[in-house]
Amino acid sequence: MSTQLPWYKQFWPWFLIVLPMCAVVASITTLKIALDNSDSLVAEEYYKEGKGINMDLRKIKYAQQIGMKFLVKVSDQELQITQQGGPEYRAALNVQFYHPTIEERDFSLNATADASYVYRVPLSEAIKGPWEVRIEGFDGKWRVQQRIDIKDDVEYWLN
């Protein structure tokens, strides 16, 4: 009669131990990936941001009531904004460009009008593709925003 091997030298106990260990290692790896790559689109203070969105809607409705309209021309080197409707506004504009998916590409700037009342903004690099464009008065009373798909030398109406 042959002698039986101890348990740690047999195949089946190790097979039964390795399967759950693989699940544990995969779970820990998945947890580490989830913690390292958190979603930046989720807001921690959602209630305060929700109240802020309501304020933004009031600004947009006010801009529609007074008839604010802008013509935006985009070229590789310059952005030109011209007012086409509403009460004459000559103060500086807060102009913001938001990329729909890549937060690092977002930028905002203040634009002032030249002598012909055209707001000219030099661009450091050409912008193309889909953007959310917001134009807001310097005093913050009104806001015009629209999503546009920017192409070379095309005019866009924001109203």
Side-chain angles (χ1 to χ4, degrees), residues 73-80 123 126-127 151-153:
K73 295 179 187 177
V74 180
S75 66
D76 288 340
Q77 305 296 327
E78 187 178 57
L79 176 72
Q80 294 179 10
L123 296 174
I127 55 174
K151 298 180 178 116
D152 282 337
D153 300 322

Side-chain angles (χ1 to χ4, degrees), residues 43-119:
E44 291 182 19
E45 296 181 0
Y46 61 90
Y47 181 73
K48 288 182 181 179
E49 290 188 16
K51 289 175 77 175
I53 289 171
N54 288 339
M55 292 295 291
D56 291 345
L57 292 176
R58 284 190 208 131
K59 291 178 184 181
I60 292 169
K61 287 180 183 177
Y62 180 69
Q64 290 172 348
Q65 286 174 353
I66 62 175
M68 295 301 276
K69 293 181 183 179
F70 290 90
L71 179 65
V72 177
K73 295 179 187 177
V74 180
S75 66
D76 288 340
Q77 305 296 327
E78 187 178 57
L79 176 72
Q80 294 179 10
I81 303 170
T82 310
Q83 184 179 358
Q84 299 293 324
E88 189 173 285
Y89 190 81
R90 300 297 176 225
L93 295 176
N94 294 325
V95 182
Q96 301 165 341
F97 279 75
Y98 294 102
H99 194 273
T101 56
I102 305 171
E103 188 176 5
E104 292 81 30
R105 294 183 66 189
D106 297 351
F107 65 95
S108 64
L109 44 95
N110 290 330
T112 55
D114 60 10
S116 60
Y117 301 117
V118 176
Y119 296 88

